Amino acid sequence: MPGIFEPLPGGGAAVALDDVEISIIRSLAVQLLELIGPGPAEDAPDDPLAELFAEGPTEAPADPVLRRLFPDAYSDPERLPQSPEEAEEQQAHSAEFRRYTENDLRAGKRESALAVIRTLDSLALGEKGEAVLKLAPGESRQWLGALTDLRLAIGCRLDITDEDDTDLLYRLPDEDPRKPMVMAYLWLGGLQETLVATLMP
């Protein structure tokens, strides 16, 4: 079980983690939370209906990582608009879609990151500084969402756009300052892949 998720009888998944691995995942999840930002209800705690009726932004985020996490719904990077009118129409549709969906998307990503932090905080380390993390099926799906978001974020910072970029990462010299981030990206990919396998029927 070390380093990989394995299915639990009756559903769910388990993985053995040491204290360093727990610290890395927790730190990354906290950074993801900070990047996503607080929800509308956190901005206006005195109004219980604020989140229900809050409209989201209409512009794409300035941060490239947030643009990767919350992409425009009506843009296709492989097909450029054929005219200024088509570009303007795509932008208008994307803005309207973002306005009504981004708050919910942010809330979902925030909840998945929080689920990762909560489950890690509930672990009791053994004498060797290790613990077995056991996830219920619902927690597994939240973890999968958070792992996906973390890899997207790290991949964006590393300028990874396709599989060829990933292959190059394996050949980075140890003195490259990106190496720790690359190792985290590849390791989270292994966790993600094995967690997906536990969720398949």
Side-chain angles (χ1 to χ4, degrees):
M1 189 189 306
I4 63 170
F5 277 99
E6 294 185 0
L8 289 173
V15 63
L17 298 170
D18 63 31
D19 55 349
V20 174
E21 293 168 331
I22 291 168
S23 176
I24 291 170
I25 297 173
R26 191 185 189 287
S27 174
L28 291 172
V30 168
Q31 290 177 55
L32 181 62
L33 275 176
E34 292 171 350
L35 183 65
I36 293 170
E42 295 170 65
D43 293 334
D46 295 333
D47 185 357
L49 298 177
E51 188 168 4
L52 182 62
F53 293 107
E55 292 183 358
T58 57
E59 304 250 340
D63 188 304
V65 173
L66 288 175
R67 283 200 305 273
R68 179 79 64 92
L69 293 174
F70 305 102
D72 278 334
Y74 291 90
S75 66
D76 183 353
E78 296 183 10
R79 181 189 174 279
L80 295 175
Q82 300 300 305
S83 67
E85 291 78 15
E86 184 182 354
E88 189 175 330
E89 184 179 3
Q90 279 185 3
Q91 187 176 7
H93 288 317
S94 291
E96 191 72 358
F97 186 83
R98 186 179 295 279
R99 176 183 176 194
Y100 291 111
T101 62
E102 187 166 313
N103 282 347
D104 287 342
L105 290 173
R106 282 181 183 261
K109 292 179 184 299
R110 192 179 299 113
E111 190 54 41
S112 293
L114 281 170
V116 168
I117 294 168
R118 290 187 194 111
T119 51
L120 291 177
D121 286 349
S122 69
L123 289 176
L125 294 177
E127 293 180 4
K128 297 182 179 180
E130 297 177 341
V132 175
L133 173 70
K134 295 182 179 181
L135 302 174
E139 292 173 325
S140 292
R141 287 186 288 276
Q142 288 181 308
W143 262 75
L144 183 58
L147 288 173
T148 300
D149 290 341
L150 288 172
R151 292 195 80 235
L152 281 172
I154 295 172
C156 185
R157 295 292 190 227
L158 292 170
D159 291 325
I160 297 171
T161 56
D162 57 38
E163 197 59 37
D164 291 339
D165 294 334
T166 305
D167 293 340
L168 293 173
L169 297 180
Y170 288 99
R171 297 193 288 274
L172 279 181
D174 289 342
E175 60 272 14
D176 193 299
R178 296 170 295 170
K179 190 73 171 189
M181 197 181 298
V182 167
M183 297 305 293
Y185 179 82
L186 297 173
W187 173 55
L188 291 174
L191 289 176
Q192 181 187 36
E193 185 177 342
T194 57
L195 184 55
V196 168
T198 70
L199 292 169
M200 296 177 71

